[in-house]
Amino acid sequence: RGAWEIVRCATGLAVEAWSSSGTVVIDNVLITTGRVQAGVNAPIAHLWLEGGGSIKLRNSIIMGNTLGDGVFTEGVKVRTTTNSVAYISNNSIFNNTVTTDEVGLIVDGTATLSNNAVANNNSVGASAYQYTAYNAPQQTLRDNHFGNKQAVGGGAPFSEIGTTTGDAQWTQS
């Protein structure tokens, strides 16, 4: 229910839903080797839910995308407003290149993050933050690994258990 629009996607996926009381599920998606041309202003993936309901990003791999030619490009951006909630679980986000400091996973609003690995993403224009939290007190983190992280506007997550940071020590197989 509600208005859906798939727009503003630099390389992989964009979903925007307004006035939604249902659930949007994105499961088992691979977004890789995406490129952008000069002048592009967008994230690798953009998920935005407003007006209720939930959005789930799970069991996906987002890796090897190069947005370094874009004007303002970001990693995977998830935003919830007005009684919406995001569930982000079992995802690997790595080896992506963008132009901002928000290179890995950017979450704004109410969300629960579980069992995600976000590391080794790079920026051509700024210091790289693998996880950026806006409205961090509305977020719950469980058993995630981030290369590093930042909370914009201060505050700590509502709940945080088992978070690790540092070198991900990926093993290629």
Side-chain angles (χ1 to χ4, degrees):
R1 287 185 285 180
W4 289 66
E5 185 176 0
I6 299 180
V7 295
R8 286 191 298 243
C9 176
T11 66
L13 175 68
V15 176
E16 295 183 4
W18 299 279
S19 302
S20 176
S21 61
T23 300
V24 177
V25 178
I26 299 142
D27 197 6
N28 294 315
V29 174
L30 172 64
I31 300 173
T32 188
T33 62
R35 303 281 185 267
V36 297
Q37 59 190 13
V40 170
N41 180 355
I44 294 169
H46 185 213
L47 311 175
W48 182 357
L49 185 64
E50 182 176 322
S54 64
I55 190 162
K56 298 177 181 180
L57 174 63
R58 60 187 187 196
N59 306 315
S60 296
I61 298 173
I62 301 166
M63 55 84 63
N65 298 284
T66 304
L67 281 64
D69 291 331
V71 172
F72 185 82
T73 57
E74 303 166 296
V76 177
K77 189 170 191 173
V78 180
R79 182 173 184 221
T80 61
T81 63
T82 321
N83 301 317
S84 300
V85 63
Y87 298 97
I88 304 163
S89 59
N90 302 319
N91 300 289
S92 297
I93 302 170
F94 62 98
N95 290 346
N96 298 293
T97 300
V98 298
T99 58
T100 69
D101 63 346
E102 299 168 329
V103 300
L105 177 62
I106 305 105
V107 180
D108 185 354
T110 305
T112 297
L113 289 75
S114 305
N115 304 316
N116 298 288
V118 184
N120 299 105
N121 298 289
N122 301 297
S123 173
V124 297
S127 299
Y129 289 101
Q130 304 300 313
Y131 171 62
T132 301
Y134 290 89
N135 298 303
Q138 298 176 20
Q139 298 175 23
T140 299
L141 285 71
R142 291 199 171 90
D143 300 318
N144 298 285
H145 178 82
F146 305 116
N148 58 14
K149 61 183 183 163
Q150 71 169 337
V152 176
F158 171 75
S159 173
E160 184 170 15
I161 299 168
T163 298
T164 57
T165 58
D167 185 356
Q169 301 180 1
W170 301 107
T171 301
Q172 190 171 13
S173 61

